[in-house]
Amino acid sequence: MKYGVSGTGDVGHVIASKLIDLGHEVMMGARSASSEKAQKWAEEHGSHAYYGTFEDAAKFGERVFNCTQGIHAIEALELAGKDHLNGKILIDTSNPFHYEDGHISLDPKYSGNTSLGE
């Protein structure tokens, strides 16, 4: 199966690498097709590992993981393109973290009955 993984951080690397280990083809997507982190990951994982933009990864994957930071998730999904995600399973691992003064917390606008996924 082909997977698109949007995000070049720790979560994206772990998921994409495990999918490769399981025999799948994976494209890691970033804002830029020239992302050094995505290129390095693909070089380290062989012939079933590819890299490109968020849009490229969404086009490529039969299933797509969003592994971007929550504060960038909506932008990343918009860059992926609604048409490229339509009809696909989207697994969203992002959390709506808020970074301020060296501290991390959940963004209060996503408390209560609202979630980032919604």
Side-chain angles (χ1 to χ4, degrees), residues 17-68:
S17 298
K18 184 61 175 182
L19 290 168
I20 291 285
D21 291 347
L22 293 171
H24 300 288
E25 292 183 76
V26 180
M27 178 174 285
M28 181 176 283
R31 277 188 189 84
S32 167
S34 61
S35 165
E36 290 180 16
K37 289 172 102 176
Q39 288 178 20
K40 183 178 178 191
W41 173 84
E43 290 169 4
E44 292 173 351
H45 287 85
S47 63
H48 288 119
Y50 311 95
Y51 65 93
T53 63
F54 294 139
E55 181 181 16
D56 295 332
K59 284 181 191 177
F60 177 85
E62 297 167 76
R63 295 179 182 160
V64 179
F65 280 85
N66 176 34
C67 300
T68 60

Side-chain angles (χ1 to χ4, degrees), residues 4-13 15 27-32 37 52-55 57-58 64-80 85 90-99 104 116-117:
V5 175
S6 292
T8 61
D10 292 341
V11 175
H13 274 86
I15 289 173
M27 178 174 285
M28 181 176 283
R31 277 188 189 84
S32 167
K37 289 172 102 176
T53 63
F54 294 139
E55 181 181 16
V64 179
F65 280 85
N66 176 34
C67 300
T68 60
Q69 290 181 340
I71 59 174
H72 303 295
I74 301 301
E75 176 190 1
L77 292 170
E78 287 173 346
L79 290 170
L85 296 170
L90 173 65
I91 301 122
D92 189 348
T93 66
S94 65
N95 291 304
F97 290 130
H98 180 72
Y99 301 91
I104 184 172
L116 184 59

